Amino acid sequence: MTQAQTLKHIITSRKSVYPPEYSDTPIPEEVLQEIISSANEAPNHKRTEPWRLKVHKGDEKVRLGEELVHLYKENVPAESFSEIKMNEIAKKVAKSYAIVTISVHFSGKVAEWEEIAATAMAVQNMYLTCTAHAVGCYWGTPGFMFQLKDFLQLEENERCYGLFFMGMKK
């Protein structure tokens, strides 16, 4: 297979893979680092590199999961609350080897939409790198993601735009 064919295969086979489809096998540290560093190759206007990625695994992942459950309980109206949904959040976190929080830093040098678009391109690079290494992943955007600001200790000009769940495919 040529390099172009390989790239096309990775692009066309990229898909969201959810935590129930993850095995218990850890993602090798060098692969995890390659996934994260691939984000840094995304194009971005005026080289602002607006993405702020934080990897949560082990105890940090557990604390993130607790915060997600807390935010779900706090933000879902009583008539819409579902214990099943709340437990699904906890299970997604537990089944994932690592979760990357995706935040955007707004530099003021370019339009906000450009910073968001650059961050989305960074996430696409992570998706493609995951695909190349048989790592399952998906970008989740819970309705309360903006409320992770304090938990993530984001600066005033930063906002969380979702969670990138990862685990080795079964």
Side-chain angles (χ1 to χ4, degrees):
M1 201 179 298
T2 68
Q3 200 171 15
Q5 290 169 322
T6 302
L7 178 60
K8 182 175 181 175
H9 173 73
I10 291 169
I11 291 169
T12 58
S13 60
R14 191 226 46 89
K15 66 177 185 162
S16 292
V17 178
Y18 301 98
E21 299 173 62
Y22 301 164
S23 73
D24 293 331
T25 306
I27 299 171
E29 191 58 31
E30 63 276 4
V31 172
L32 186 57
Q33 289 306 311
E34 183 181 339
I35 292 164
I36 301 305
S37 67
S38 70
N40 294 327
E41 302 305 319
N44 55 101
H45 195 59
K46 296 196 180 196
R47 297 187 177 127
T48 60
E49 296 185 358
W51 48 86
R52 299 294 182 268
L53 308 172
K54 180 166 176 31
V55 178
H56 301 263
K57 57 184 188 174
D59 290 341
E60 282 186 344
K61 184 187 74 156
V62 170
R63 283 191 295 280
L64 175 62
E66 290 168 352
E67 181 67 8
L68 294 173
V69 167
H70 168 75
L71 288 173
Y72 177 79
K73 286 179 184 176
E74 202 173 81
N75 288 285
V76 174
E79 64 275 5
S80 302
F81 182 83
S82 164
E83 185 122 359
I84 293 170
K85 174 74 172 163
M86 183 184 71
N87 290 336
E88 283 177 2
I89 292 169
K91 285 179 190 173
K92 281 194 288 192
V93 171
K95 195 71 176 137
S96 300
Y97 176 75
I99 301 169
V100 178
T101 51
I102 303 161
S103 300
V104 179
H105 172 85
F106 298 100
S107 66
K109 295 178 183 179
V110 298
E112 282 192 9
W113 75 266
E114 290 185 66
E115 304 284 38
I116 295 166
T119 301
M121 293 165 126
V123 173
Q124 176 70 346
N125 283 359
M126 293 192 316
Y127 257 113
L128 295 173
T129 306
C130 284
T131 301
H133 288 284
V135 173
C137 63
Y138 89 99
W139 184 355
T141 54
F144 49 79
M145 67 188 171
F146 297 126
Q147 293 180 26
L148 284 168
K149 187 174 187 91
D150 290 339
F151 178 82
L152 297 174
Q153 300 177 332
L154 299 180
E155 296 176 14
E156 194 59 38
N157 60 341
E158 295 177 344
R159 274 195 307 266
C160 179
Y161 274 84
L163 310 164
F164 194 73
F165 296 81
M166 292 185 288
M168 294 302 296
K169 294 180 188 177
K170 286 183 182 177

